[in-house]
Amino acid sequence: MHPLYALELDGSEPISATAVKAVSALCDRAEDAEGTGARSPVVAVHVTGAPADGWAGSLDVMLVTKWERALRRLERLPVATVAVAHGDCGGTALETFLAADVRVATPDTRLLLPRDATATWPGMAGYRLVRLAGVARTRGALLFGRPVQAAEALALGVVDELTDDPAAAVAAAAALVGDLSGKEIAIRRQLMFDAATTGFEDALGAHLAACDRALRQGAAPETAAEA
């Protein structure tokens, strides 16, 4: 069984140093476990809650920068990540949810881009939504804060599965990982991200390097067996 590292985030709370530390500590644990050579861990983040109006009034750009860096670290972990959402999800809850490899939601979930004083919050949740679903299908949410209902999020590919049993969904995600290497998952993830913006010729080198790495790893057990 894969080691499971879990975190709960309340999106009704504004971005805080505590949230940054919690995500960073989760990443530390996952990276340390991946480096032990044991079975690759799986990270599960449970999110709910959306901030009230005026939530951004106490923030400063340095804190927001630290938060976005922590999320980017989570998004690039050398392990598989799964996020489970329920109820209204906005702010830190939505941003963390969108950074996961596998995104599961309960049927009552609504994804909400919160507003600051003048418009929707311009954080990286909007960027990730567009990368996942495209401009046309996310315009209402990004510009006007229109809630994205769970069924719509599933149809858009923003949510991978709707379930009334989040625990079973997390277990299924861990089973999906199987014996795959967390480090190799991270490499495939980066190739996937780059494919959206990189031309064929520029991408070819990175893919060939990954193929060479896979071939060398596959040859290593055979060499050891021959010896």
Side-chain angles (χ1 to χ4, degrees), residues 176-200:
L176 184 66
V177 175
D179 292 326
L180 297 177
S181 160
K183 291 181 180 179
E184 294 303 312
I185 289 174
I187 291 173
R188 305 306 184 273
R189 183 196 295 132
Q190 190 58 51
L191 291 173
M192 178 183 67
F193 287 157
D194 293 344
T197 57
T198 305
F200 179 88

Side-chain angles (χ1 to χ4, degrees), residues 25-123:
L26 179 67
C27 292
D28 287 340
R29 293 176 63 203
E31 289 171 347
D32 290 345
E34 174 63 21
T36 63
R39 200 167 197 189
S40 180
V42 173
V43 164
V45 184
H46 297 262
V47 299
T48 190
D53 291 344
W55 69 284
S58 61
L59 300 182
D60 62 70
V61 73
M62 290 185 63
L63 178 58
V64 175
T65 299
K66 291 178 181 178
W67 169 249
E68 294 290 4
R69 286 176 177 169
L71 278 190
R72 185 59 169 162
R73 184 181 173 196
L74 175 69
E75 189 173 42
R76 301 177 73 176
L77 277 178
V79 304
T81 58
V82 55
V84 180
H86 67 91
D88 284 355
C89 288
T92 57
L94 175 62
E95 291 171 343
T96 306
F97 180 76
L98 295 175
D101 295 322
V102 179
R103 296 174 299 278
V104 178
T106 57
D108 67 337
T109 298
R110 296 195 311 162
L111 306 182
L112 303 165
L113 277 173
R115 301 186 181 194
D116 60 10
T118 58
T120 54
W121 178 246

Side-chain angles (χ1 to χ4, degrees), residues 95-167:
E95 291 171 343
T96 306
F97 180 76
L98 295 175
D101 295 322
V102 179
R103 296 174 299 278
V104 178
T106 57
D108 67 337
T109 298
R110 296 195 311 162
L111 306 182
L112 303 165
L113 277 173
R115 301 186 181 194
D116 60 10
T118 58
T120 54
W121 178 246
M124 292 299 284
Y127 172 87
R128 292 185 173 94
L129 274 175
V130 171
R131 290 289 293 269
L132 289 168
V135 173
R137 293 182 291 181
T138 56
R139 185 184 300 273
L142 296 176
L143 297 183
F144 309 114
R146 180 179 65 80
V148 180
Q149 306 289 340
E152 180 185 3
L154 179 66
L156 292 175
V158 175
V159 167
D160 297 305
E161 178 186 353
L162 295 183
T163 181
D164 289 312
D165 190 350

